[in-house]
Amino acid sequence: MSVSDHDYINFSQDDELNYILKKYHKSQAHENRVELKKLGQAYKNETKSKRLKHVEFYPYLEKHLDKLR
């Protein structure tokens, strides 16, 4: 079974970032979207990945929810 684009996070789309923020009951504010992008880049660097799947990123994000409002 192939992986679809839907499985990956597009950090350049505000609606995708807002979806993640809403999922974790965080404000969909600009500052939180910027912080999500930073967290995404940090995780990409840590894992040496070019793209992140939702299922890969969420456990990492859950350890850093304190950085979001």
Side-chain angles (χ1 to χ4, degrees):
M1 186 179 221
S2 65
V3 178
S4 76
D5 282 341
H6 182 70
D7 294 328
Y8 291 96
I9 300 172
N10 185 339
F11 287 95
S12 66
Q13 290 189 354
D14 285 350
D15 59 334
E16 179 120 18
L17 299 176
N18 285 339
Y19 168 81
I20 296 169
L21 292 168
K22 186 175 180 180
K23 175 180 175 65
Y24 287 97
H25 308 286
K26 298 296 183 176
S27 168
Q28 297 175 31
H30 172 76
E31 296 81 13
N32 278 347
R33 289 190 298 273
V34 169
E35 190 60 38
L36 267 183
K37 290 178 186 180
K38 289 179 185 176
L39 289 169
Q41 189 59 54
Y43 191 63
K44 285 180 187 178
N45 293 343
E46 187 177 302
T47 60
K48 296 178 176 59
S49 299
K50 292 186 180 194
R51 298 175 72 194
L52 297 178
K53 294 180 185 175
H54 291 268
V55 297
E56 297 169 335
F57 181 62
Y58 288 167
Y60 177 83
L61 176 60
E62 289 167 6
K63 295 177 185 174
H64 297 88
L65 286 176
D66 60 320
K67 296 185 178 188
L68 302 171
R69 299 186 293 121

